[in-house]
């Protein structure tokens, strides 16, 4: 069962709170900490909804293999609008979606793993009788969320008498699910409450293919996946915070090394332009993604073999 995530980092002006996704939290930033935690829990794909300071935020996380969607109307919309933007994009990409704001960076990977074990249409973690983040929604509930017009967005949706029986509350020993960090003072209080909680050590491998030099790796793989999903190279580049010219250059380099086209593009016309993968391009991408998956599994096995006992795993 594939579980994706929507991280809310648009900074809606309607909120009375500060907006600091790049606030220093320990040795990293709030948004990077959340993304690392989600990746450790194997959430994929991850969509980040940006808005305020969008260029800076997207550049900050551009190497983390996430999808960035810009809410250009963040000043006049609510957080629920960003949630719907993310869910609408994710609806046909995964079976379930984790939803969380960027202001809860202290949550644990184990909490996300507990949520992923739920088989109910919706689930949320509970600490000290308080619901926290993230919320887990199954794909079957997404159309209902997108049509919902209650006064308090997702919170009131989950409390709706028709939906509430579907929600599983999962008790966790993780105060991070309710600790909202939006300032240096918040960060100090949070670190004091949960200790200097560092992200656990983990192993990570990146796969690259090459001839005289590397030409195919995680970056172009994500670019081609997004082209396949959106039908547009320009949109795919935008979602990766990459220039259109750089995207074309990466693809053309791969095509030269492979000796055949990986994408087919048509511009203009009555139906508008589009870009799609060629059959050979899609086959090559799928083989690469399968190889990546197996290498990642082997990396985890080797990490546990060489570091598991030392770290008490």
């Amino acid at each position: 069962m594939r579980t994706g995530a929507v991280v809310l980092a648009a900074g809606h002006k309607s909120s009375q709170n500060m907006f600091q996704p790049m606030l220093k939290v320990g040795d990293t930033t709030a948004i990077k900490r959340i993304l690392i935690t989600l990746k450790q829990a194997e959430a994929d794909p991850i969509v980040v909804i940006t808005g305020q300071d969008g260029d800076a935020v997207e550049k900050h996380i551009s190497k983390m293999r996430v999808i960035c969607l810009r809410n250009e109307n963040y000043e006049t919309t609510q957080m629920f609008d960003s949630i719907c933007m993310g869910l609408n994009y994710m609806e046909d990409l995964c079976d379930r979606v984790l939803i969380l704001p960027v202001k809860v960076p202290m949550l644990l990977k184990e909490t996300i793993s507990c949520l992923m074990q739920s088989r109910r249409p919706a689930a949320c973690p509970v600490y000290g009788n308080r619901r926290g983040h993230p919320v887990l929604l199954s794909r079957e509930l997404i159309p209902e969320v997108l049509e919902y017009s209650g006064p308090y967005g997702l919170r009131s949706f989950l409390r709706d008498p028709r939906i509430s029986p579907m929600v599983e509350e999962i008790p966790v020993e993780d105060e991070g699910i309710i600790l909202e960090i939006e300032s240096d003072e918040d960060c100090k209080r949070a670190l004091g409450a949960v200790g200097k909680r560092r992200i656990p050590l983990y192993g990570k491998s990146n796969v690259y293919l090459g001839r005289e030099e590397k030409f195919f790796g995680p970056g172009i793989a994500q670019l081609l996946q997004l082209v396949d999903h959106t039908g547009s190279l320009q949109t795919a580049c935008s979602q990766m915070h990459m220039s259109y010219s750089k995207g074309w250059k990466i693809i053309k380099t791969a095509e030269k090394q492979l000796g055949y086209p990986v994408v087919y593009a048509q511009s203009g016309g009555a139906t508008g332009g589009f870009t799609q993968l060629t059959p050979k391009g899609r086959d090559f991408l799928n083989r690469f993604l399968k190889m990546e998956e197996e290498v990642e599994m082997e990396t985890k096995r080797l990490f546990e073999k060489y570091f598991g006992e030392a770290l008490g795993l």
Side-chain angles (χ1 to χ4, degrees):
M1 184 175 290
R2 192 176 190 189
T3 305
V6 173
V7 179
L8 307 165
H12 297 276
K13 287 294 184 66
S14 57
S15 171
Q16 299 301 310
N17 298 321
M18 300 175 69
F19 172 73
Q20 295 197 60
M22 292 183 285
L23 179 71
K24 194 77 170 178
V25 178
D27 296 326
T28 185
T29 59
I31 191 165
K32 281 190 174 181
R33 186 181 178 109
I34 282 181
L35 296 178
I36 291 169
T37 301
L38 287 168
K39 286 178 175 291
Q40 284 187 316
E42 300 183 352
D44 181 66
I46 299 173
V47 167
V48 179
I49 308 298
T50 66
Q52 183 180 345
D53 300 330
D55 284 335
V57 174
E58 291 167 17
K59 182 178 180 180
H60 182 63
I61 59 176
S62 61
K63 304 297 184 184
M64 298 193 71
R65 207 166 177 176
V66 298
I67 301 164
C68 293
L69 302 183
R70 185 79 64 90
N71 182 351
E72 300 288 0
N73 301 314
Y74 72 93
E75 292 184 285
T76 57
T77 58
Q78 304 293 325
M79 184 178 290
F80 188 62
D81 295 287
S82 285
I83 291 174
C84 290
M85 177 183 289
L87 291 179
N88 187 60
Y89 185 90
M90 296 280 273
E91 189 170 6
D92 59 347
L93 291 179
C94 50
D95 303 294
R96 307 178 300 181
V97 182
L98 293 155
I99 304 169
L100 68 162
V102 73
K103 62 185 178 182
V104 288
M106 302 302 292
L107 81 164
L108 297 172
K109 179 196 72 144
E110 289 75 15
T111 293
I112 298 174
S113 298
C114 285
L115 285 176
M116 287 182 173
Q117 293 175 19
S118 174
R119 292 297 177 263
R120 301 280 288 278
C124 59
V126 176
Y127 177 85
N129 295 319
R130 287 180 59 187
R131 286 186 177 184
H133 302 284
V135 170
L136 180 67
L137 289 180
S138 66
R139 183 164 56 189
E140 66 190 77
L141 282 181
I142 291 179
E144 297 195 50
V145 175
L146 296 178
E147 294 176 2
Y148 188 70
S149 58
Y152 301 109
L154 186 61
R155 182 172 61 178
S156 57
F157 173 81
L158 295 173
R159 299 287 186 185
D160 186 280
R162 188 173 53 85
I163 302 299
S164 183
M166 305 182 193
V167 181
E168 180 179 5
E169 292 189 338
I170 300 178
V172 296
E173 294 299 319
D174 180 7
E175 192 176 355
I177 69 170
I178 59 172
L179 289 175
E180 298 185 354
I181 297 179
E182 297 169 299
S183 68
D184 290 328
E185 287 302 313
D186 289 341
C187 187
K188 290 177 183 177
R189 283 194 292 270
L191 290 173
V194 300
K196 293 189 179 298
R197 181 187 286 174
R198 302 184 70 185
I199 294 172
L201 190 68
Y202 63 100
K204 177 63 181 174
S205 297
N206 286 322
V207 178
Y208 291 93
L209 304 178
R211 290 188 189 277
E212 290 79 10
E213 59 183 38
K214 295 182 294 185
F215 70 90
F216 203 100
I220 187 173
Q222 182 186 8
L223 181 63
L224 293 179
Q225 283 180 289
L226 293 177
V227 167
D228 198 32
H229 178 62
T230 65
S232 167
L233 177 60
Q234 187 169 359
T235 300
C237 289
S238 174
Q239 291 172 359
M240 291 181 66
H241 196 72
M242 176 189 297
S243 71
Y244 182 72
S245 60
K246 182 178 179 180
W248 261 124
K249 182 178 179 181
I250 290 171
I251 289 174
K252 290 303 180 184
T253 298
E255 291 181 335
K256 181 179 179 181
Q257 294 294 319
L258 290 171
Y260 55 80
V262 296
V263 300
Y264 168 73
Q266 177 176 303
S267 59
T271 58
F274 66 86
T275 306
Q276 63 186 28
L277 302 190
T278 64
K280 279 189 173 182
R282 180 173 286 106
D283 178 69
F284 189 87
L285 173 63
N286 288 337
R287 290 175 185 274
F288 179 84
L289 294 175
K290 286 292 184 182
M291 181 179 174
E292 262 196 330
E293 184 179 339
E294 292 189 30
V295 168
E296 184 66 23
M297 291 173 61
E298 184 65 7
T299 299
K300 290 179 181 177
R301 185 189 71 79
L302 291 173
F303 177 77
E304 186 172 344
K305 175 182 177 180
Y306 289 106
F307 292 95
E309 184 176 346
L311 298 174
L313 300 178

